[in-house]
Amino acid sequence: AAASHSLTLDPRVKLSESTRSEPTLNLSASVVKSIYDALGIQGVTDVSALHLERELEHAAISPEAAKESSDPMVCRYLNLVTALVNKRCLDVALELCTKIIERDKNCRGAYIRRGTALALGGRLVEAVADFTQAIGLDRQDPDAYTRRAQSREALGDVAGAVSDHSMAVLLLQRQVQSPATRQALLTELQMRGCACNHLGDYARASEDLAKVVGEAPDNIDAWAAMGKS
């Protein structure tokens, strides 16, 4: 059976069953080792990119990643980047995203994830550039506008942030209003309301925040922000 450190989600799969002969991404041994170290996986003696991909080959693909590439291995790498970003292993995440983009310059998910890693690392100007690239690849994705808005506001471009939040609100309103979408819309309205407060547009801030507390009366942060408008 697969070694105990395997990334494979199904322990019944043997690595020898893989027919993969070349890696999708040409990762150096040091990068592969960094990935294992970041995930807390010990005892790996083969730190080649091919071995890593043989371990990844049978891993599940999240629904989000499945929409972002027609290549299943790239989807698995996107899942891996998400895990690395969540663990704040930003350097390795950035390296992986860059490799994915070198392979597929139209991979929107890689730009989103790299932008997120850059933003978390304080590299906000670069983050805005990546989110802008993602928007250019899919102008119907509210998430890219939201992330760019947050980076813009952190850079002091509050008007730009409000504009991006407004686009995200519009796109979310056009979607089927499932509970998850509705919650995303309320979150977006709250962020826009707070940005409008910073901009001095108190009437618009009050309008947005009133909608939030109207549906979520226990939202203390929204009430607090409303008190400033």
Side-chain angles (χ1 to χ4, degrees), residues 154-171:
L155 285 167
D157 181 10
V158 184
V162 170
S163 176
D164 278 348
H165 281 310
S166 295
M167 182 58 71
V169 166
L170 179 64
L171 292 171

Side-chain angles (χ1 to χ4, degrees), residues 73-119:
M73 186 52 69
V74 170
C75 293
R76 293 184 176 96
Y77 271 120
L78 291 173
N79 281 348
L80 183 55
V81 170
T82 298
L84 292 168
V85 171
N86 288 341
K87 289 178 176 291
R88 296 301 189 268
C89 301
L90 305 181
D91 288 343
V92 189
L94 289 170
E95 179 82 21
L96 268 183
C97 285
T98 299
K99 287 291 186 181
I100 294 170
I101 291 167
E102 287 174 356
R103 185 181 185 280
D104 180 4
K105 64 180 181 180
N106 293 321
C107 184
R108 183 187 62 85
Y111 288 107
I112 289 284
R113 287 164 176 78
R114 191 172 70 175
T116 301
L118 287 166

Side-chain angles (χ1 to χ4, degrees), residues 20 24 53-54 56-57 71-78:
R20 187 173 294 273
T24 300
E53 291 194 8
R54 284 176 173 172
L56 283 172
E57 197 164 21
D71 185 329
M73 186 52 69
V74 170
C75 293
R76 293 184 176 96
Y77 271 120
L78 291 173

Side-chain angles (χ1 to χ4, degrees), residues 11 22 30 33 46 61 99 169 177 182 199 213 220 229:
E22 293 184 2
S30 62
K33 185 177 185 304
D46 185 347
I61 299 173
K99 287 291 186 181
V169 166
Q177 293 300 296
R182 192 63 191 168
L199 195 62
V213 299
I220 299 174
S229 59

